[in-house]
Amino acid sequence: MRRALTTIALGARYASSLSTSKRKILVLHGKGGSGASMKLRFQAIENALPEFDFTYATAPHELDGGGYQWWTLPPGVRSYQATEYGGVDAALDVVRSSQADVVWGHSQGAILLGFAAATEAIDWLGGAKLILNGASWPKPYEAELERGCRGDTLHVLGATDDINPPEQARRLAACFDNARVHVHPGGHYVPTDEAAIECYRDFLLSGAASDCPLPMSTDAPQVMIERTLNSLAGDDVDAALRRIWDLAGDTFKYYYRFDTLDEFIKDAKQTSDEFATSFYGMAITGKRWTVLRPFTVAGGPDGWIGTCVVETVARDDRKRKWIWELRKRRRPPRMGEWYIESIGSSDADGTFDVA
């Protein structure tokens, strides 16, 4: 058997156009906030989730004392007490026009997600993951909520929240058929401690591999790298390995020149089983991967060589970094197409110079 080495040459070809495959997170602030204020609060979360692009919406109704709100309420009335939300259609229009893979609401923004899901007021929302932080019960929509809601949701609540009592958030979570609940010891804020970050990553990244298509020869470099990793971690490992074999270049084929396709698949899976921190061990049975440095081209967009740095966490929690080197074909008939030259591992301690 030819075990996976610290450098794996794949040789897959790409179209020359560069793009990112990052998924989009739309963030909705609470009453009195704004998109700009939430962006400041989310810096630690953005840093912990480099796989996503974040956008921040601002509610349509301005408050007299500053900030914005998603709907209006009579003086002294809370959202879980009100029988009607004023101007809510304008709020739904803001969200409706900002389609995303994930919507993350805090306080009033989280309440909005609860009743929008229950009423199916936003057609694309049913296919998105929802994070509801510090929510309360949307009383005007309790009939729709009590009929039950479909959706992949994470409900984050503070044990000492004195703005929106945590029992309100639990009541809302109970309406969803696929709800997770994370309780932090604090009050009415978005937690960014280690336990919360781990919870966010687990919720947002779980299931991503099985939903990702196989890499294609027409993929842009960053897209193909991420699709390769996701498909290897998905439900059909054999299909992913067959696609890698189909797209492989001469260097890869030379290394496996004595193997048939079936033997290559067997070798890769055996390597994964025996060596947790090998490339195939990390890709097939690892816990997660993170792009530390997206694909960049030396010499600007017209350059012919580029790299991407990925960190992987093995099934036994050991970490390893990998530098993917991609090159552009410089001769016809496929001039301008990208292919993966190699995937080089870090040192045993998980470090290498990527400057």
Side-chain angles (χ1 to χ4, degrees), residues 123-144:
D123 55 2
W124 57 263
L125 199 63
K129 289 190 173 186
L130 308 180
I131 300 180
L132 294 82
N133 186 91
S136 69
W137 182 250
K139 185 173 177 60
Y141 303 93
E142 59 186 2
E144 292 88 346

Side-chain angles (χ1 to χ4, degrees), residues 226-241:
E226 297 183 11
R227 284 183 172 178
T228 297
L229 289 165
N230 278 348
S231 61
L232 284 171
D235 297 328
D236 195 345
V237 176
D238 286 10
L241 291 169

Side-chain angles (χ1 to χ4, degrees), residues 60-61 70-72 85-92:
H61 304 290
W70 293 101
W71 53 83
T72 60
Y85 294 164
V88 74
D89 287 342
L92 292 171

Side-chain angles (χ1 to χ4, degrees), residues 30-84:
K31 183 178 180 179
S34 67
S37 67
M38 284 302 283
K39 182 172 178 60
L40 292 175
R41 295 185 186 185
F42 265 65
Q43 288 308 296
I45 294 174
E46 284 198 31
N47 292 338
L49 291 167
E51 301 89 349
F52 296 87
D53 280 328
F54 287 74
T55 59
Y56 298 85
T58 295
H61 304 290
E62 191 168 359
L63 285 165
D64 292 338
Y68 297 83
Q69 58 186 339
W70 293 101
W71 53 83
T72 60
L73 295 169
V77 177
R78 305 301 306 278
S79 290
Y80 59 86
Q81 300 167 330
T83 57
E84 184 179 2

Side-chain angles (χ1 to χ4, degrees), residues 2 34 42 83 121 128 204 217 229 249 253 264 289 326 339 343 350:
R2 294 168 181 79
S34 67
F42 265 65
T83 57
L204 292 173
S217 62
L229 289 165
K253 288 290 181 66
F264 160 67
W289 58 267
L326 282 70
Y339 65 95
I343 305 172

